[in-house]
Amino acid sequence: MGLSRLAALHGVATSFSPSADVTVSVPDDTVTAVLAALGVDAATPAEVRRSLTAAESAAASRLLPPTVVAWSGEPLPAALAALPPGAVLTVDPDPDADGPSAPLRMRVLPAPAPTENTPVTPSWWTEPPLGVHRLTVRTDDRRYATTTLVVAPDRVPQPPARTHGFLVQLYSLLSTRSWGMGDLADLADLAAWAGRTLGSGFVQVNPLHAAVPGAPTDPSPYRPSSRRFPDPVHLHIESIPEYGHVPEPGRAALDDLRQEAAALREAVLNKGSLIDRDAVWELKRQALELIHQVPLTPGRRAAYCDFLAAQGQALEDHALWCALAEVYGPGWRTWPEGLRDPRSPQSARARTDLLDRVDFHCRLAWLTDTQLATAQSAARESGMSVGIVHDLAVGVHPDGADTWAQQDAFAHGMSVGAPPDAFNAHGQDWGLPPWRPDALAASGYAPYRRLLRGLLAHAGALRIDHVMGLFRLWWVPEGRPPTDGAYVAQDAEAMLAVLVLEAHRAGAVVIGEDLGTVEPGVREALARRGVLGTSVLWFERDWGGTGRPLAPEKWREGCVATATTHDLPSTAARLTGEHVTLRHRLGLLGRDLEQELAEDAADTAEWLAYLARLRLLPEGDGDEEAAVRAVHRFLLATPARMTGIWLPDTVGDRRPQNLPGTWDQYPNWRLPIADEEGHPVTLEEITASPRLHRLMAVVPDGRESRTAPPGARPS
């Protein structure tokens, strides 16, 4: 009982429910390990008692929680309403707040006798401006507390009208000028074309976070070194202004590198090669080294200095990690001991010794940031109502730059994943260390705020992978199977408030990936704050009743409706059953192939019959391309605010970009977009594809319904 009580005080669940009628207890040694990662000693019964006494004493004497959330225009937070009369509140305003910069002072007045007309918000309360403030409280009995006060708008911005757009993994989108993988110039070009030609409202891409360097680099965009800074591998080299001013002999060297890049591109497009991120980066790195030698013009130098000042310590730490990784390798836990601490004297000396390399990596972050800005500008100038939708991965690599620079913020020895459920009896371990909720709260959520601000700087919307992680995450102790994990709660109110605040400041839409096991109340809490969900056609059934396909009018409005995602089969593969035979070839099926094929065919047939009954399949049975169009007619018949079209679906691609449960058995994250015959196609070929234009003919042209000028922000 003592261990359970101690765990509850620290947000650690001692049981979980893999299904509605099943409850599973978490092993005591898992609970003990998770508490240890939170700095709580529960190794022995005596330590449990001591830790429990300390935690209960702290909770009883605490005047305010570490963070208080006030939603603009809503009732006073309970923590503030419970303050004793006579308490004095001082709000030191957020430097970024739109409002007075002077401290705001209030005194708690006695609550009036309750009547039907008593206002919900007391008269003594003056709502501070939106922002993250420092709140100090002093009571008449000389108690004192300082906490973070987040004042957030009640909802995130919404798309100004229903809209459609493309979903694409950027690396897979090669143009005739790419250096072996898709880049930010390709993204800008796709957005400009889609907005101007089709009236599309957005383009959603995979996370562009900085990867962990290595041989080979982990190709997954969902296991990055840093979520705070983008990866310069996405740069389009020729678009860098200094590129044209590289003198001889560097000019000849650049020409040679371009020829090698053309060979990489040719190998991927016409010779069956996989996308080789490491080879692409090696060529781009050499080119960037040459470009780095060109002095910046005065205006460019001023812009770079402004960027350095705005990014501050976070960028300096990131660049130093990159420089040290070049010398000692990317696994910072194996570096010389003094360099494992970013604040050590040895690290300070390294900043001086490696100054040129630190500047090089700072410059790359700036160049990438400028091309991200260009892509969003191209999208907005094309008339897109949203623009580029960026993706936030759920975590970072344990050996990456973020875990080195923010060691106090992470729970070391832990990894996030998913518990066992009806679809995966073994659970999942994603190999990503979680943030410590207590450390985030103590910092006023500073790492989280900086992360969101950086991602939203050039985004029309932000997709949050596994958005349920704002509420709780499944922690797996190192060395244990995923079945032996435990849920650890976040302060969901604070995480949501910071998200809503930063999205409001950026004028950006927020999309939550809420597929899979979702805790009761999570979707409702997200919807209340305007966070759109994700609805995939094949999963939308009347699960509480008939189990049949969910009627389009019963879909939720607050979502991105789509036929597939990067982790699922393409629509053509789903319709033909090819995704089942692929998993069979790789030994991933848990049952007999014929049984799997029969069930899959029955599921598909039920959907196609339903589409036919709705008169969305006028071409009749037996036409795969027509069935793909019918699927998208259905999506457009739902009330969903955004309809996402998987770009590979437009040309009949059969192959998934990622096949969960595989590593080297399948080329995850390394495939170019291909046509129905499996031949890779370029951006230019995609935009000219008759199959694409036949599909997009069923999609209303967004240009006809635009009511806002191209530069307007969604509201």
Side-chain angles (χ1 to χ4, degrees):
M1 180 63 74
L3 182 63
S4 296
R5 172 64 179 157
L6 180 63
L9 287 172
H10 293 280
V12 181
T14 54
S15 65
F16 68 98
S17 297
S19 59
D21 55 348
V22 176
T23 299
V24 177
S25 296
V26 174
D28 284 354
D29 54 356
T30 293
V31 176
T32 300
V34 171
L35 286 170
L38 292 168
V40 180
D41 192 345
T44 67
E47 292 297 344
V48 169
R49 288 192 295 272
R50 277 192 287 270
S51 296
L52 182 57
T53 299
E56 290 179 333
S57 175
S61 62
R62 185 182 298 127
L63 193 59
L64 289 173
T67 300
V68 175
V69 171
W71 296 101
S72 183
E74 295 189 7
L76 188 68
L80 300 184
L83 290 172
V88 176
L89 288 71
T90 302
V91 178
D92 292 309
D94 182 343
D96 297 325
D98 295 329
S101 58
L104 177 65
R105 289 185 173 83
M106 294 167 269
R107 181 181 292 275
V108 178
L109 300 176
T115 67
E116 291 185 4
N117 297 321
T118 299
V120 174
T121 300
S123 60
W124 58 263
W125 171 250
T126 300
E127 184 177 290
L130 301 178
V132 180
H133 314 288
R134 204 67 189 152
L135 171 64
T136 302
V137 175
R138 290 180 173 83
T139 66
D140 286 346
D141 58 359
R142 298 185 178 180
R143 285 186 293 163
Y144 170 89
T146 300
T147 191
T148 299
L149 173 65
V150 182
V151 182
D154 62 341
R155 288 170 63 82
V156 298
Q158 300 294 294
R162 291 189 66 198
T163 187
H164 73 270
F166 291 113
L167 318 177
V168 64
Q169 300 283 289
L170 180 57
Y171 59 82
S172 71
L173 181 69
L174 281 74
S175 70
T176 55
R177 62 184 181 180
S178 303
W179 283 38
M181 61 181 281
D183 59 39
L184 290 169
D186 297 326
L187 175 59
D189 207 34
L190 173 67
W193 169 81
R196 296 179 188 280
T197 305
L198 304 173
S200 301
F202 64 93
V203 174
Q204 178 180 306
V205 295
N206 55 285
L208 304 183
H209 309 320
V212 177
T217 300
D218 186 339
S220 173
Y222 291 92
R223 202 163 182 252
S225 168
S226 173
R227 296 187 295 175
R228 176 64 185 82
F229 295 100
D231 198 312
V233 76
H234 300 110
L235 283 168
H236 181 244
I237 298 298
E238 293 90 337
S239 295
I240 299 171
E242 289 73 36
Y243 172 85
H245 299 281
V246 174
E248 293 293 355
R251 171 57 52 187
L254 279 179
D255 291 342
D256 290 342
L257 291 170
R258 288 188 63 190
Q259 291 300 314
E260 293 183 59
L264 277 181
R265 180 178 65 243
E266 175 69 14
V268 171
L269 293 175
N270 295 308
K271 297 181 179 179
S273 295
L274 299 174
I275 292 170
D276 188 339
R277 183 191 183 106
D278 294 334
V280 172
W281 173 239
E282 178 57 26
L283 296 181
K284 289 191 177 184
R285 183 193 60 76
Q286 293 180 54
L288 291 164
E289 299 274 8
L290 295 168
I291 293 169
H292 187 63
Q293 297 173 23
V294 178
L296 297 173
T297 65
R300 295 268 292 164
R301 169 62 63 180
Y304 177 45
C305 290
D306 283 351
F307 179 78
L308 293 175
Q311 303 304 317
Q313 186 72 54
L315 176 58
E316 186 178 333
D317 287 345
H318 176 74
L320 177 59
W321 182 92
C322 293
L324 289 169
E326 292 176 335
V327 178
Y328 300 105
W332 61 266
R333 290 177 176 83
T334 65
W335 291 353
E337 186 172 355
L339 297 177
R340 298 173 200 171
D341 178 0
R343 303 293 167 252
S344 71
Q346 293 90 334
S347 291
R349 284 196 298 272
R351 292 174 198 270
T352 301
D353 296 341
L354 299 173
L355 185 60
D356 288 344
R357 298 308 298 171
V358 170
D359 181 65
F360 175 68
H361 290 290
C362 286
R363 183 86 65 90
L364 298 191
W366 172 59
L367 292 173
T368 312
D369 184 79
T370 60
Q371 291 195 8
L372 286 168
T374 298
Q376 175 64 356
S377 294
R380 299 291 292 171
E381 289 167 6
S382 77
M384 285 189 165
S385 57
V386 175
I388 307 302
V389 181
H390 285 287
D391 197 351
L392 172 61
V394 71
V396 293
H397 195 286
D399 292 330
D402 282 2
T403 57
W404 177 74
Q406 304 171 21
Q407 293 178 38
D408 292 344
F410 287 92
H412 300 287
M414 293 288 146
S415 175
V416 298
D421 56 26
F423 301 100
N424 189 334
H426 301 292
Q428 301 174 54
D429 183 343
W430 302 331
L432 309 170
W435 267 335
R436 284 180 54 163
D438 58 332
L440 283 182
S443 70
Y445 293 85
Y448 179 49
R449 287 187 279 131
R450 288 194 295 263
L451 170 61
L452 292 174
R453 193 165 300 184
L455 288 168
L456 290 166
H458 309 303
L462 180 65
R463 174 190 180 271
I464 300 180
D465 191 43
H466 192 70
V467 73
M468 295 81 78
L470 299 181
F471 296 76
R472 65 179 185 177
L473 280 169
W474 183 256
W475 289 23
V476 181
E478 185 177 356
R480 299 179 187 273
T483 50
D484 287 354
Y487 274 119
V488 178
Q490 295 277 10
D491 183 341
E493 190 85 344
M495 296 289 280
L496 264 179
V498 171
L499 172 63
V500 172
L501 174 63
E502 293 298 337
H504 168 81
R505 286 171 163 171
V509 176
V510 177
I511 302 160
E513 186 272 298
D514 57 352
L515 304 174
T517 302
V518 183
E519 185 182 10
V522 166
R523 287 195 175 104
E524 292 77 6
L526 293 169
R528 181 183 179 191
R529 299 305 169 193
V531 177
L532 305 182
T534 301
S535 293
V536 177
L537 180 129
W538 311 101
F539 303 153
E540 292 296 318
R541 290 178 172 271
D542 181 14
W543 297 114
T546 64
R548 294 172 182 167
L550 191 65
E553 66 272 12
K554 293 185 177 180
W555 281 43
R556 54 182 170 171
E557 178 183 352
C559 76
V560 176
T562 183
T564 190
T565 74
H566 59 267
D567 282 333
L568 296 172
S570 70
T571 305
R574 172 81 67 171
L575 291 168
T576 59
E578 290 182 34
H579 68 109
V580 177
T581 56
L582 172 61
R583 293 181 65 82
H584 172 67
R585 289 198 304 272
L586 297 175
L588 299 176
L589 292 184
R591 297 184 298 169
D592 178 73
L593 173 61
E594 296 305 319
Q595 183 181 6
E596 291 275 3
L597 284 172
E599 288 191 10
D600 183 73
D603 181 81
T604 301
E606 184 179 20
W607 270 105
L608 290 176
Y610 185 50
L611 296 175
R613 288 199 302 274
L614 294 177
R615 299 182 180 179
L616 300 176
L617 188 54
E619 300 89 344
D621 295 337
D623 186 335
E624 171 207 305
E625 190 181 335
V628 173
R629 290 196 295 270
V631 163
H632 288 85
R633 289 190 184 103
F634 181 94
L635 295 175
L636 292 162
T638 74
R641 296 299 301 271
M642 299 171 71
T643 302
I645 302 166
W646 180 236
L647 188 61
D649 272 350
T650 67
V651 290
D653 199 346
R654 296 306 207 251
R655 305 174 301 180
Q657 282 295 316
N658 178 50
L659 192 59
T662 63
W663 178 244
D664 55 1
Q665 308 99 310
Y666 186 80
N668 296 319
W669 318 113
R670 290 172 286 171
L671 293 171
I673 297 175
D675 62 19
E676 64 269 24
E677 297 177 353
H679 187 275
V681 287
T682 63
L683 169 61
E684 293 83 358
E685 290 169 329
I686 292 169
T687 58
S689 166
R691 178 165 178 154
L692 177 145
H693 286 279
R694 287 192 294 270
L695 172 60
M696 297 309 295
V698 311
V699 180
D701 190 329
R703 293 173 297 178
E704 298 175 2
S705 61
R706 288 175 183 159
T707 58
R713 279 294 204 185
S715 60

